[in-house]
Amino acid sequence: MAKLEILEFPDPRLREIAKPIAEVTDAHRELLDNMFETMYAAPGIGLAAIQVNVRERLIVVDISEDGSDPLAFINPEIEVLDREIHQYDEGCLSVPGFFETVERPRKVRVKALDRNGDPFALEVEGLLAVCIQHEVDHLDGKLFVDYISPLKRNRIRTKLEKVQRRRA
């Protein structure tokens, strides 16, 4: 397995739209394994392929404390099951060091393919629902900072650009 580079906001590649996967291959399974390794090392609880510069509709999630519940979703689709909105403090591996309150539906159904290409569906709520919605947003070129005010978003952009210039 290999740890992958995570793109950071405001990298324009994070705004690209991921393409559906026609057939799940060994290369996709290897990518999923590498994404899990990258997510755990970061550390994080979710990662979308677009964040590691792969424009395909794959996400990995594990909200357990000990990394014991890895979930892989290929071509995920979300259906809102409960219009009730909850607020969560969200962070993102592509927006390191920042957390903001975001409103999302409390309960959703996600339909996807597993790592073998078999279809499945899950009804989820709470943190898992938030995490899946957050990662699917990435596949559509959307970041959690898009849910906050332009002033806060620009402040975060400026701070991250400063950090990135220092690293270069």
Side-chain angles (χ1 to χ4, degrees):
M1 291 197 300
K3 190 172 162 215
L4 307 169
E5 178 186 353
I6 299 172
L7 301 177
E8 291 185 5
F9 178 72
D11 192 313
R13 295 172 290 181
L14 290 168
R15 297 302 187 173
E16 295 181 13
I17 308 297
K19 295 181 176 20
I21 294 169
E23 180 183 349
V24 179
T25 66
D26 286 340
H28 292 113
R29 286 183 277 278
E30 181 178 351
L31 175 60
L32 287 168
D33 292 340
N34 290 337
M35 287 173 61
F36 276 116
E37 181 178 343
T38 302
M39 178 188 75
Y40 291 133
I45 61 171
L47 187 67
I50 202 81
Q51 291 178 272
V52 292
N53 203 26
V54 175
R55 285 156 198 78
E56 293 187 295
R57 295 190 74 81
L58 294 101
I59 65 171
V60 296
V61 173
D62 188 342
I63 63 166
S64 70
E65 295 284 326
D66 59 358
S68 63
D69 194 20
L71 300 169
F73 300 85
I74 299 170
N75 296 335
E77 296 176 12
I78 292 177
E79 173 189 355
V80 175
L81 296 177
D82 186 341
R83 296 264 176 228
E84 183 181 344
I85 301 297
H86 280 211
Q87 293 183 340
Y88 295 91
D89 284 338
E90 292 188 26
C92 181
L93 297 177
S94 291
V95 189
F98 293 91
F99 296 85
E100 293 291 338
T101 302
V102 176
E103 294 181 344
R104 295 190 186 269
R106 184 182 70 81
K107 187 174 183 181
V108 299
R109 176 183 295 120
V110 59
K111 295 178 184 176
L113 302 176
D114 66 15
R115 66 183 296 119
N116 297 315
D118 297 322
F120 72 99
L122 289 176
E123 289 186 12
V124 296
E125 56 188 304
L127 180 59
L128 185 54
V130 168
C131 190
I132 291 169
Q133 291 174 81
H134 175 112
E135 299 310 330
V136 170
D137 272 355
H138 277 298
L139 301 179
D140 296 326
K142 192 169 188 176
L143 299 170
F144 88 96
V145 295
D146 298 337
Y147 291 93
I148 63 176
S149 73
L151 178 65
K152 284 183 177 181
R153 185 172 43 255
N154 288 333
R155 193 175 309 140
I156 290 170
R157 173 193 301 268
T158 301
K159 287 180 181 179
L160 285 176
E161 286 173 336
K162 187 176 181 180
V163 168
Q164 291 162 8
R165 278 194 303 273
R166 271 188 264 155
R167 269 192 262 154

